[in-house]
Amino acid sequence: MNNNLYAGHPVTGRLKKSLALAVLAGLLLTGCGGKQASVEPASAATSTATAEASVSVPGVVGLTLDKATDQLKGLGFKVEAKDIVDGKSIMLEKNWQVMTQDPASGATAAKGSTVRLGVKSLDKIAAEKAAAEKAVADKAAAEQAAAAKAAAEKAAADKAAADQAAAAKAAADQAARDAAAKAAAEQQAAQKFVQAPVQAPAQAPAAAYYANCTAAKNAGAAPLYRGQPGYSSSLDRDGDGVACER
């Protein structure tokens, strides 16, 4: 009976309630501390994972698209390729070459981010190379042709100058020969004229007359000099003072 009375006493009920509240508060405090303990390591792990997820972007410019794609995807990147010349669709990656990349080589980017590649078809590159080589060859051929033309023109000019000089020398030589011949003829004529007065009296009489040079030659009087008997200007055809000299 005493136990029942004690159990139903108001003081005992309050004690039970206080004890229950204390236990509940302890459980709540324990739960909050565990949650806080579990959250802090999770934040640190996230930071570490983020640091590990950032990698250096390799340089893939100059590689074919298939090799560049394999290298980038192997590091955890996504790849987006675009034809930077004609905007054509990319069918076979091995037929394209990487010309540009973004992010650039050496930049740090997160795994899973996209690396954008500007590509050009190998056919386009080959055509541009062939065109450049042809332009160089054409330029070299044009320069060679111009040099050959200049050399030919110089040779022609040199030959013309040489021919002109030779012609001038030939003309000068001929003029010198003509002058020498004329001087010799004049000297010979002068000598004959000087000798004529001595020989004239023996060749013809004082009153000699010759109708023509044949008559003078038949008489042994030719040639006849001016002032000599038998000389006549009609017999001196070239008027040099000597008649019938031939």
Side-chain angles (χ1 to χ4, degrees), residues 119-141:
V119 298
K120 183 186 293 186
S121 69
L122 296 182
D123 291 340
K124 191 77 172 181
I125 294 174
E128 290 176 351
K129 181 180 179 182
E133 291 175 348
K134 183 178 183 301
V136 171
D138 290 345
K139 181 179 179 182

Side-chain angles (χ1 to χ4, degrees), residues 4-41:
N4 292 333
L5 291 173
Y6 182 76
H9 197 276
V11 175
T12 302
R14 287 196 297 270
L15 288 174
K16 289 182 178 180
K17 290 180 180 180
S18 297
L19 181 60
L21 291 174
V23 172
L24 179 60
L27 290 174
L28 290 174
L29 290 174
T30 302
C32 292
K35 182 179 181 181
Q36 183 176 3
S38 63
V39 168
E40 289 178 356

Side-chain angles (χ1 to χ4, degrees), residues 75-95:
L75 294 173
F77 293 111
K78 296 178 182 179
V79 177
E80 180 182 304
K82 182 179 180 181
D83 179 7
I84 61 175
V85 179
D86 301 318
K88 293 182 179 179
S89 298
I90 298 172
M91 303 301 292
L92 294 177
E93 292 185 345
K94 66 179 182 179
N95 293 336

Side-chain angles (χ1 to χ4, degrees), residues 188-201 203 225 228:
Q188 183 180 6
Q191 289 176 352
K192 289 181 180 180
F193 181 76
V194 171
Q195 294 172 358
V198 178
Q199 299 175 356
Q203 294 178 355
Y225 297 90
Q228 181 181 351

